[in-house]
Amino acid sequence: MNTRVVITGLGIIAPNASGVADFRDALQEGRSGIRHDAALEALQFSCQIAGTPVVTAEMQSRYFDALELKGFNSSAILYGVLAGMEAWQRAGLTAAVNTDWDSGCIFGTGSSGIDKLREAIYKVDEGQVRRLGSTVVAQTMASGISAWLGGKLGLGNLVTTNSSACITGAESLLMAYDRIRAGKATRILAGSTSDSGPYIWGGFDAMKVCTFKSNDNPATGSRPMSATAAGFVPGAGAGAFVVESLDSALARNAPVCAEILGGHINSGGQRNDGTMTAPNSEAVQRCIREAVREAGISPSDIDAINGHLTATGKDALEIQNWSTALGRSGTDFPYISALKGMTGHCLSASGSVELVAAVLQLQHGFLFPNINCEDLHPDIRAVVDPERIPQQLRYKDLQVIAKASFGFGDVNACVILKKYHANG
């Protein structure tokens, strides 16, 4: 079956902007969403800065009623519902009156309701089980985000939550793509979300993978591809997509943001140089090559890369892996962008947040600035001409973008997106 699959709606809750229009402005401005976090300082974290989305009471009231918000404190579900509902509406869709058997939801997360779970644990330990309330399970179950979205929209097709560390967002998009290509759904609301706060970020601080050198200057703290990168800045948020067949989109005169050409997911099996926290380079390169093959394009067709690039010691290795997989280097290397300089590392939401950025780049023809890498790492400079790593906004007619995510557990995902053209 040669079904063309497109993205017709986007939604975003990010550290530097909430809502697609403001997020596009933030990208083009190079706006940082990384700020000092008083809670992290009070708890004596080494890293006392973070990328936490700003969500107002007015934003919450758009999609949650007063009863739902009573005792509600699951940031992953909050971010995911806000992003998912925005994507659905921007695709020109409304909530179903009766069950919509043709539409589903694949929305991932790494955790759900960590703060709510902590609250519940204390109440249980204090013998206050009867005071837990009736929403603890719905806020903390792993599939909570897809269940909330499925209920708000009346979705009757597959409604599920995937979880694969940092590749969760890219994986959800490819799972939706595969289901639509197989003819098992007309449209899928895909995406991923993440919890925020010290109880989700504490483990990373303990691992010493977060920066501690920019607590007094938060906006400069996340430094992908920089020689002075000192670890990632924790972040959170959600990105969402309405993925559907082109035939469906055309039939209802829906806006088309981009076309999904294909992609690939694999694992390095934690063998060779791969571990729980480090990538197997052979697997990374294989993932990129297979994504290109499955998309039916040539490596030379890729205009730009939206990288994983976490501001750790693995950035140079990622660049080398891209170069080896594509057979491109120097001035022939695609343009490359690292969003985490503005948002920090949004963990299970990172792939979807960065994919929203990649779609906007295609749709509006621009390369957003790579902030905080004015001192490009010498190992990266040896592979890529610095001109291919823009540090200022640049308008460019982009046709194909490759987006990759790499995650704990030695897992990899690569998505190939194309600017939509009605004739193919």
Side-chain angles (χ1 to χ4, degrees):
M1 184 178 295
N2 191 29
T3 303
R4 291 176 67 184
V5 180
V6 296
I7 296 170
T8 55
L10 298 174
I12 187 74
I13 296 292
N16 61 343
S18 293
V20 170
D22 192 35
F23 186 58
R24 185 184 75 181
D25 290 345
L27 293 176
Q28 294 182 337
E29 293 167 12
R31 185 195 309 165
S32 174
I34 296 170
R35 294 170 286 274
H36 175 258
D37 191 306
L40 301 187
E41 180 180 9
L43 292 168
Q44 300 180 48
F45 275 51
S46 296
C47 179
Q48 298 171 7
I49 58 177
T52 304
V54 176
V55 176
T56 65
E58 186 277 328
M59 291 167 63
Q60 295 181 49
S61 67
R62 293 176 197 168
Y63 306 117
F64 294 89
D65 60 35
L67 186 60
E68 288 175 322
L69 289 172
K70 184 178 180 181
F72 184 92
N73 63 349
S74 173
S75 54
I77 291 174
L78 174 64
Y79 301 152
V81 168
L82 293 179
M85 296 298 284
E86 181 188 23
W88 200 253
Q89 291 174 355
R90 290 181 69 90
L93 297 163
T94 57
V97 176
N98 298 307
T99 305
D100 179 356
W101 305 111
D102 296 321
S103 301
C105 178
I106 302 173
F107 217 98
T109 187
S111 61
S112 184
I114 290 293
D115 284 345
K116 191 67 178 178
L117 185 61
R118 175 181 179 271
E119 175 188 309
I121 289 169
Y122 274 103
K123 285 184 178 180
V124 170
D125 286 346
E126 293 167 359
Q128 299 182 31
V129 176
R130 296 180 185 275
R131 297 184 62 185
L132 284 177
S134 60
T135 65
V136 171
V137 174
Q139 290 189 56
T140 60
M141 65 184 187
S143 58
I145 179 56
S146 58
W148 279 78
L149 285 167
K152 287 186 176 294
L153 296 172
L155 307 180
N157 205 279
L158 176 67
V159 173
T160 190
T161 294
N162 64 305
S163 185
S164 296
C166 304
I167 77 164
T168 298
E171 182 183 67
S172 71
L173 191 75
L174 290 175
M175 290 172 70
Y177 169 83
D178 287 341
R179 189 165 182 83
I180 292 165
R181 290 263 295 178
K184 294 182 178 181
T186 300
R187 69 188 60 83
I188 296 285
L189 177 59
S192 67
T193 186
S194 62
D195 275 310
S196 62
Y199 302 107
I200 190 70
W201 297 331
F204 297 102
D205 199 77
M207 290 175 66
K208 300 182 179 180
V209 295
C210 298
T211 184
F212 61 91
K213 294 186 175 180
S214 298
N215 290 336
D216 295 330
N217 195 359
T220 66
S222 184
R223 309 183 62 78
M225 298 187 284
S226 164
T228 51
F232 73 76
V233 174
F241 315 86
V242 174
V243 183
E244 66 183 300
S245 68
L246 178 59
D247 289 344
S248 169
L250 294 177
R252 61 185 192 83
N253 197 30
V256 177
C257 305
E259 183 169 0
I260 305 171
L261 293 184
H264 192 73
I265 301 167
N266 75 0
S267 170
Q270 300 179 46
R271 297 296 187 270
N272 300 326
D273 51 350
T275 67
M276 178 63 75
T277 59
N280 176 333
S281 291
E282 180 184 359
V284 169
Q285 295 165 23
R286 178 185 290 265
C287 184
I288 294 167
R289 286 195 300 267
E290 285 299 303
V292 170
R293 185 187 65 79
E294 292 176 23
I297 64 170
S298 164
S300 62
D301 293 324
I302 296 173
D303 297 312
I305 294 166
N306 189 300
H308 188 58
L309 298 168
T310 57
T312 65
K314 298 299 181 183
D315 285 4
L317 178 60
E318 179 179 336
I319 297 295
Q320 182 59 63
N321 283 331
W322 278 108
S323 179
T324 301
L326 299 177
R328 299 176 62 179
S329 62
T331 57
D332 183 49
F333 196 86
Y335 292 101
I336 189 160
S337 301
L339 183 62
K340 291 181 180 70
M342 301 184 216
T343 63
H345 192 339
C346 296
L347 305 176
S348 55
S350 61
S352 57
V353 168
E354 290 158 15
L355 275 162
V356 171
V359 172
L360 290 173
Q361 287 181 274
L362 277 178
Q363 197 176 12
H364 300 285
F366 69 92
L367 295 160
F368 60 78
N370 288 287
I371 68 171
N372 299 332
C373 72
E374 60 279 355
D375 58 335
L376 197 61
H377 195 288
D379 290 346
I380 294 175
R381 188 182 291 271
V383 176
V384 182
D385 188 293
E387 189 271 339
R388 311 304 280 182
I389 306 175
Q391 296 185 42
Q392 304 293 329
L393 172 66
R394 190 177 303 182
Y395 289 98
K396 195 84 176 174
D397 182 20
L398 304 171
Q399 296 298 315
V400 177
I401 287 184
K403 166 62 194 157
S405 296
F406 312 113
F408 272 25
D410 196 12
V411 290
N412 313 296
C414 184
V415 180
I416 308 295
L417 300 170
K418 183 181 178 182
K419 187 173 182 177
Y420 172 66
H421 297 284
N423 57 353

